């Protein structure tokens, strides 16, 4: 390992013109991430154009021992896409997209956002499911699993992943699929950025075009919430979405007398013809007179239009959990938690799983929570760093009260929770298997700025 601590000159030697250092006028923009509270100052931001250039950056990080942060869309809730003094490998220029309409597949650069991919592939009346937010990177969401508007119909994002191009810790560009490096392919489907830098993904694309969806806001009581989640559990698999519960922010489209009062704000989508969508959504509309009914026929590629991209906030305390069922007691606990939160915005969110998610065996990928009925989360958005521990405690204790059944967490919603958090995301045998694959592809833990899986001991590195 070399002794050079400032890698900018070495990076410039291998990637001239693609290196932004602190003296560069683009520097502040280049280091900014979605949650601005993670105000980190890398010694260099580097923007490679392809896997070969990524490999050169990986070589420099490995040889200098300087911390390496990898960023696709910059939406990490744990601040992992920034580094203090290290190299920030920004993949935003990996933007290729090759759609094979006949074979229903697409190769996509890891630097595309979910919104960009959805719009471009949607031109053909086709889709791959990502999450609820267009700005999230295809890179980060795919490596974590991917739960959104199509998971009950077509599975998680990783269930549509056919292959990936990955730069491993030894600087090699590797193609991984079911037949080639199958252990690596298993691990990257849920195991996050632990195993290398994913530069391109090959996705299966599905015929999803006509849909009915949008936002539905109802005044909330514990009883209404429990019935709402029950309706989502009973809905056809064509319907997926997010059920948010919160005290209503002063949103201009909400009647003023409801500001500050509990609401259910659901983002729902039923894939398929309008008549079927109206039928699938009717039970939700019938629960109370809607405050806002934005459910409408749309084309899937427009799913993110006017959707719930929350305004960039300095920081958020998040905890995710799983539930094997929902009950009135859980709904009452949520109301109590929201009442007690001192955050500027606090929200509890529920996503019903099942359907295609549950049809994939739990050990087929590194996302092991496939048999859980509901994925829940608690989030508290806040402005000042000194509030952090208050909101972290609120989210942690609240999640422990709300979970039903085994503990568990979704890696995409893990904050800075250390190994305990990662172990909840990867329970039991998944953890051990990930550690073995980690030892094979990244034995020195070069890729450690993530929800880290430490390499298993005494395992030979693969050349
Ligand atoms: C507002 C918001 C909404 C969200 N909604 C959803 C949702 O609906 N469904 C869902 O499933 N998730 C959701 N998430 C979670 C999201 O999937 C994760 O935070 C994800 O990691 C973000 O990806 P990114 O590329 O934008 O993030 P980044 O910050 O760029 O990356 C996060 C981490 O992932 C790793 N990584 C990213 N790209 C690569 C790569 N190409 N190669 C290797 N490692 C990489 C790195 O460790 C990096 O630090 C949401 C997050 C936010 C902030």
């Amino acid at each position: 390992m070399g002794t050079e601590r400032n890698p900018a000159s070495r990076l410039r030697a291998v990637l001239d013109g693609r290196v932004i250092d602190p003296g560069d006028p683009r520097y502040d923009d280049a280091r900014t991430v979605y949650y601005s509270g993670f105000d980190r100052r890398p010694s260099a931001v580097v923007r490679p154009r392809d896997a070969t250039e990524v490999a050169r950056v990986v070589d420099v990080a490995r040889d200098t021992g300087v911390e390496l942060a990898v960023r696709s869309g910059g939406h990490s809730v744990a601040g992992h896409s920034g580094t203090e003094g290290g190299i920030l490998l920004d993949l935003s220029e990996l933007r290729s997209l090759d759609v094979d309409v006949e074979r229903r597949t697409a190769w996509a650069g890891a630097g595309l956002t979910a919104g960009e991919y959805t719009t471009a592939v949607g031109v053909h009346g086709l889709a791959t499911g990502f999450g609820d937010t267009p700005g999230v990177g295809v890179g980060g969401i795919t490596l974590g699993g991917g739960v959104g508007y199509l998971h009950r119909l077509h599975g998680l994002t990783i269930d549509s992943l056919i292959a990936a191009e990955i730069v491993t810790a030894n600087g090699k560009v590797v193609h991984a699929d079911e037949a080639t490096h199958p252990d690596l392919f298993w691990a990257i489907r849920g195991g996050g950025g632990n195993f290398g830098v994913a530069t391109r993904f090959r996705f299966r694309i599905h015929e999803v075009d006509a849909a009915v969806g949008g936002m539905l806001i109802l005044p909330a009581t514990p009883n209404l919430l429990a019935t709402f989640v029950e309706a989502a559990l009973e809905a056809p698999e064509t319907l997926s979405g997010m059920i948010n519960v919160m005290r209503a922010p002063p949103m201009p489209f909400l009647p003023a007398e409801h500001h500050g009062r509990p609401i259910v704000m659901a983002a729902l989508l039923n894939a398929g013809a309008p008549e079927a969508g109206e039928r699938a959504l009717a039970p939700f509309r019938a629960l109370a007179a809607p405050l806002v009914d934005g459910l409408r026929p749309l084309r899937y590629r427009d799913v993110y239009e006017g959707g719930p991209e929350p305004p960039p906030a300095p920081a958020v305390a998040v905890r995710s959990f799983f539930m094997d069922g929902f009950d009135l007691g859980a709904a009452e606990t949520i109301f109590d938690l929201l009442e007690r939160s001192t955050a500027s915005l606090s929200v509890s969110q529920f996503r019903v799983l099942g359907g295609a998610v549950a049809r994939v065996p739990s050990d087929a990928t590194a996302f092991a929570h496939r048999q859980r009925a509901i994925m829940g989360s608690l989030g508290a958005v806040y402005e000042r760093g000194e509030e952090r521990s208050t909101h972290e405690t609120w989210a942690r204790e609240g999640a422990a009260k709300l979970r039903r059944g085994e503990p568990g967490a979704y890696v995409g919603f893990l904050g800075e929770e250390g190994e305990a958090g990662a172990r909840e995301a990867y329970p039991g045998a998944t953890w051990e298997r990930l550690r073995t694959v980690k030892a094979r592809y990244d034995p020195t833990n070069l890729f450690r700025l993530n929800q880290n899986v430490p390499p298993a001991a005494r395992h030979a590195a693969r050349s």
Side-chain angles (χ1 to χ4, degrees), residues 34-35 70-77 80-81 91 110 130-133 135-141 143 145-148 192-193 196-199 201 242 310 351 410 412-413 449-450:
Y34 182 73
Y35 290 111
V70 179
R71 180 170 89 201
S72 289
H75 275 60
S76 167
V77 295
H80 284 148
S81 38
L91 302 175
F130 295 100
D132 63 5
T133 300
V136 163
V138 163
I141 193 168
L143 297 171
V147 189
V197 182
T199 47
F201 299 99
M242 305 87 207
R351 300 169 188 233
Y410 174 46
F413 291 151
L449 205 52
N450 45 41

Side-chain angles (χ1 to χ4, degrees), residues 138-214:
V138 163
I141 193 168
T142 302
L143 297 171
V147 189
Y149 289 113
L150 292 178
H151 60 268
R152 300 180 75 228
L153 185 60
H154 290 301
L156 304 170
T157 305
I158 50 173
D159 299 331
S160 295
L161 189 64
I162 306 168
E165 176 186 78
I166 301 160
V167 178
T168 50
N170 57 10
K172 297 236 161 88
V173 181
V174 164
H175 174 99
D177 60 23
E178 289 284 6
T180 318
H181 296 281
D183 50 352
L184 181 61
F185 189 56
W186 173 85
I188 60 160
R189 285 176 290 164
N194 273 288
F195 308 94
V197 182
T199 47
R200 288 196 305 154
F201 299 99
R202 186 172 184 223
F203 291 110
R204 191 170 297 117
I205 45 183
H206 309 275
E207 280 173 55
V208 178
D209 196 8
V212 180

